[in-house]
């Protein structure tokens, strides 16, 4: 399963990308507004930090303008995935951009038939919003399960299921169990994935016992290692 960061916060992206576990980034107009940065500039910077797909969202609702926006965004970097909404104009734009070799992430997916349409339009990614469905009393994970099941019936569909609107680590776990290709998550949730109180407790005990031995694995090599 690929891990994408769902943020336009460059400091957070740099920090977590240093783990080597970040496969891509998703942004949306709300996240760009939160960053306070110029859209094109921040997306360009993200593309220099993360080699994998970086989603940049169009904001027009009509096909002609959306296509012009998508073409402009695609020129920012080779790893741009243009994000279009799941509307007739969005899918029409998706088809054209895909034919031009641009990656496309179809966003705001809330039903399996919508996901079927996106795959037929050749989307690189479909983004079901699990948290927002849970928020209104529906099940985001039932939608992910349905999409994964439908796509498996048609090996010619190349669209990857990108689980979005992730609210907690259980969403990541459930998406992985269902075989979703990608999960995009806020940095705080990726950090939560690392932590377990027994890991912290066990590490503290090992370190305390190690200190009692008075030994050092690096010994005299310590200064050389620090200099590297
Ligand atoms: C990512 O592509 C989506 O825009 C994002 O995950 C939406 O998350 P939210 O529902 O928390 O705003």
């Amino acid at each position: 399963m690929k891990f994408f960061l769902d943020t336009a916060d460059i400091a957070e992206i740099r920090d977590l990308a240093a783990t080597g576990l970040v496969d891509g980034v998703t942004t949306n107009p709300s996240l760009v507004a939160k960053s306070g940065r110029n859209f094109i500039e921040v997306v360009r910077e993200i593309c220099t930090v993360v080699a994998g797909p970086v989603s940049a969202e169009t904001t027009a609702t009509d096909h002609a303008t959306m296509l012009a926006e998508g073409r402009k965004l695609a020129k920012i970097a080779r790893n741009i995935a243009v994000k279009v909404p799941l509307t007739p104009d969005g899918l029409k734009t998706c088809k054209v951009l895909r034919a031009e070799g641009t990656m496309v992430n179809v966003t705001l997916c809330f039903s399996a038939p919508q996901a079927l349409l996106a795959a037929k339009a050749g989307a690189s990614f479909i983004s079901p919003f699990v948290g927002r469905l849970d928020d209104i009393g529906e099940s985001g994970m039932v939608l992910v399960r349905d999409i994964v099941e439908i796509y498996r019936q048609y090996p010619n569909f190349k669209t990857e299921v990108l689980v979005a609107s992730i609210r907690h680590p259980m969403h990541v776990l459930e998406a992985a169990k269902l075989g979703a290709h990608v999960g995009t998550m806020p940095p705080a949730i990726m950090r939560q994935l690392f932590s377990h109180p027994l890991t912290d407790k066990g590490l503290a005990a090992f370190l305390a016992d190690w200190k009692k031995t008075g030994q050092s694995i690096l010994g005299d090599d310590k200064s050389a290692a620090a200099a590297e």
Side-chain angles (χ1 to χ4, degrees):
M1 187 189 196
K2 286 176 251 186
F3 281 6
F4 287 6
L5 284 178
D6 196 24
T7 183
D9 183 327
I10 194 75
E12 290 275 39
I13 294 168
R14 280 188 196 284
D15 189 44
L16 283 163
T19 63
L21 300 174
V22 174
D23 303 298
V25 172
T26 50
T27 66
N28 63 35
S30 308
L31 292 170
V32 171
K34 197 172 159 193
S35 78
R37 298 268 315 266
N38 171 276
F39 178 36
I40 305 279
E41 281 174 18
V42 76
V43 167
R44 185 176 290 122
E45 194 174 345
I46 294 169
C47 288
T48 65
V49 177
V50 175
V54 174
S55 289
E57 190 158 340
T58 54
T59 53
T61 52
D62 68 284
H63 169 63
T65 319
M66 204 188 294
L67 183 58
E69 287 182 353
R71 284 176 172 153
K72 180 171 178 179
L73 294 173
K75 284 196 189 117
I76 295 175
R78 281 180 50 247
N79 52 332
I80 286 285
V82 172
K83 234 175 165 185
V84 299
L86 211 152
T87 61
D89 286 72
L91 294 188
K92 198 171 158 186
T93 305
C94 172
K95 267 209 104 141
V96 178
L97 289 173
R98 290 297 295 130
E100 293 173 359
T102 297
M103 283 188 284
V104 178
N105 176 357
V106 176
T107 191
L108 291 166
C109 172
F110 293 97
S111 80
Q114 286 182 321
L116 188 54
L117 289 171
K120 284 179 67 64
S124 314
F125 302 100
I126 181 68
S127 289
F129 277 35
V130 295
R132 292 192 195 187
L133 277 172
D134 291 357
D135 289 347
I136 60 160
E138 294 187 29
S139 171
M141 281 303 147
V142 166
L143 173 60
V144 174
R145 189 196 63 202
D146 286 349
I147 298 172
V148 169
E149 190 180 332
I150 291 166
Y151 283 9
R152 281 205 182 121
Q153 312 305 315
Y154 301 96
N156 60 318
F157 285 169
K158 302 296 176 218
T159 308
E160 295 192 20
V161 181
L162 192 169
V163 179
S165 189
I166 282 178
R167 300 270 201 265
H168 46 71
M170 283 306 287
H171 273 151
V172 181
L173 178 62
E174 288 164 19
K177 282 162 80 175
L178 290 170
H181 305 87
V182 191
T184 189
M185 64 203 84
I189 292 183
M190 185 163 174
R191 289 205 172 84
Q192 272 183 279
L193 298 182
F194 284 94
S195 71
H196 193 286
L198 291 180
T199 304
D200 298 341
K201 194 176 165 194
L203 184 59
F206 286 153
L207 293 181
D209 288 340
W210 180 243
K211 202 170 176 189
K212 287 181 210 157
T213 71
Q215 299 178 55
S216 158
I217 295 174
L218 289 179
D220 291 343
D221 303 340
K222 213 172 191 172
S223 48
E228 273 176 18

